[in-house]
Amino acid sequence: MQTELSKRLGVEHAVFGFTPFPAVAAAISRAGGFGVLGAVRYTAPDDLARDLDWMQDHVDGRPYGLDVVMPAKKVEGVSEADVEAMIPESHRQFVEDTLARHGVPGLAEGEAAGWRITGWMEQVARGQLDVAFDYPIKLLANALGSPPADVVARAHERGVLVAALAGSARHARKHAEAGLDIVVAQGYEAGGHTGEIASMVLTPEVTEAVAPLPVLAAGGIGGGEQVAAALALGAQGVWLGSVWLTTTEADLHSPALTRKLLAAGSGDTVRSRALTGKPARQLRTAWTDAWDDPAGPGTLPMPLQGLLVAEAVSRIQKYEVEPLLGTPVGQIVGRMTAERSVQAVFDDLTSGFEKAVARLNRIAGRA
């Protein structure tokens, strides 16, 4: 599954795997793909450095990259405390009432609330980059549009390619105008933040809009046949995220959540603002239903919603309260029916790709 882009980056397969787990990212690179570590959870530079050190020791010299969440526009003088103060008390009460209805215990006295969505703040993302550029990363991806111009220049000075996600041809053109090297066309089916256009429509629109820039197809891809379809639509590779959640190398810290993912069908996800304030595809749960109910207070804009629900999400995850327990995941979850190693996923991707290409060759009379 080689393309011009995969050859340029020195990888065997044009499969780019986004994941928050260093062990998964390293395994993707070792399997011949391109592992991309999600950095949004790292609020402390030392923690990111620790995990990048670990990856350096476990990728067997293969290339890898980093994904950040960085706004293109800078907001001066706004602290996390300033943002917290903007959250209405009525929304805080709604969170507590919802948790109480499901019997979710509180955290122990003095226990930290766990991960908070602060990676969106520019000073946090820039701290992540200060660390990352000390490592031989080959790709920097941004999930919130084009990174600031000085970040793009800084990456290019180090020979690092820059990519960004796009949910429409219009967004993709902006990435091209900003001097980015790769556009990730992320369809409606994808997990996490998505637009409203499905991959089958979006991928050829984006490839035509930014040609000759390479495009990666994302959203609803989890099998080799879908990789072949993406390349047929003009992409130079695929960007996969959800499929790695149920790999044996993933560290979800929740057997209950793994069970829910393995049991879910492709219709068991919902595009909801419940997690971050922006539409993000995730497992449908009693938590998403509560926030999407017209009788409720409605979600807050990003980043207020993420800060509001951070402690609640930590409590739900810690106590594995199954009706409320969810995670961002795409519609491909319906094909995630068994725990497999990252290498086993690649074996299935390559064999499915070969079968799809052979089938098309027979149709075209070439076999």
Side-chain angles (χ1 to χ4, degrees):
M1 297 187 290
Q2 280 203 336
T3 65
E4 182 180 341
L5 178 61
S6 66
K7 292 175 182 176
R8 179 180 179 184
L9 286 167
V11 296
E12 183 179 356
H13 304 299
V15 174
F16 294 71
F18 163 79
T19 174
F21 306 118
V24 176
I28 291 168
S29 290
R30 290 198 306 271
F34 191 99
V36 182
L37 178 65
V40 71
R41 294 176 181 269
Y42 295 96
T43 55
D46 289 347
D47 291 341
L48 178 58
R50 176 202 64 217
D51 282 355
L52 289 176
D53 282 337
W54 186 92
M55 284 191 62
Q56 274 292 106
D57 293 337
H58 291 84
V59 294
D60 293 349
R62 307 289 182 91
Y64 62 93
L66 192 76
D67 179 278
V68 297
V69 179
M70 193 172 197
K73 295 181 180 179
K74 189 172 184 176
V75 179
E76 298 282 1
V78 178
S79 68
E80 184 178 337
D82 295 330
V83 177
E84 286 266 18
M86 301 177 190
I87 298 174
E89 186 58 36
S90 59
H91 280 71
R92 296 187 187 277
Q93 189 60 51
F94 179 77
V95 169
E96 289 305 318
D97 291 345
T98 303
L99 296 175
R101 280 199 303 273
H102 291 272
V104 182
L107 297 176
E109 185 175 351
E111 184 178 358
W115 174 60
R116 294 170 62 79
I117 301 174
T118 54
W120 62 272
M121 299 180 75
E122 180 167 350
Q123 62 266 35
V124 175
R126 286 187 178 273
Q128 294 166 350
L129 294 179
D130 289 341
V131 171
F133 284 139
D134 286 336
Y135 292 82
I137 63 170
K138 299 299 182 183
L139 175 71
L140 174 67
N142 191 41
L144 277 184
S146 302
D150 68 294
V151 171
V152 177
R154 190 177 174 191
H156 286 167
E157 287 170 2
R158 291 163 172 76
V160 177
L161 299 183
V162 182
L165 276 62
S168 71
R170 178 174 61 86
H171 292 155
R173 291 189 192 97
K174 289 184 178 180
H175 295 337
E177 293 166 1
L180 273 59
D181 306 287
I182 301 168
V183 175
V184 181
Q186 187 181 44
Y188 172 84
E189 309 95 321
H193 296 126
T194 68
E196 299 180 350
I197 305 173
S199 299
M200 183 66 74
V201 175
L202 181 65
T203 302
E205 283 188 355
V206 170
T207 57
E208 292 173 10
V210 301
L213 279 186
V215 171
L216 300 176
I221 302 172
E225 297 86 352
Q226 292 157 317
V227 177
L231 301 189
L233 292 172
Q236 285 203 32
V238 293
W239 178 275
L240 308 185
S242 297
V243 73
W244 314 113
L245 289 173
T246 52
T247 55
T248 53
E249 292 90 346
D251 192 9
L252 285 178
H253 297 294
S254 174
L257 180 54
T258 298
R259 288 196 301 271
K260 289 188 74 171
L261 288 169
L262 295 175
S266 57
D268 292 328
T269 68
V270 64
R271 194 163 160 267
S272 172
R273 297 177 184 268
L275 185 62
T276 68
K278 285 184 177 292
R281 186 170 296 285
Q282 55 204 280
L283 278 181
R284 182 177 179 179
T285 65
W287 179 254
T288 62
D289 287 347
W291 282 105
D292 295 339
D293 188 339
T299 56
L300 297 171
M302 188 181 195
L304 299 181
Q305 182 72 14
L307 291 172
L308 168 66
V309 305
E311 180 180 330
V313 171
S314 293
R315 289 163 61 183
I316 292 166
Q317 291 175 344
K318 176 180 179 179
Y319 299 109
E320 294 194 297
V321 183
E322 293 205 31
L324 302 176
L325 189 62
T327 184
V329 69
Q331 291 179 331
I332 197 64
V333 70
R335 293 188 61 168
M336 295 157 50
T337 57
E339 288 188 80
R340 299 177 292 168
S341 68
V342 168
Q343 183 61 61
V345 173
F346 267 88
D347 291 343
D348 287 346
L349 289 171
T350 52
S351 63
F353 179 82
E354 290 169 355
K355 290 176 183 176
V357 172
R359 186 183 307 120
L360 291 176
N361 281 333
R362 288 195 300 272
I363 293 170
R366 298 193 184 98

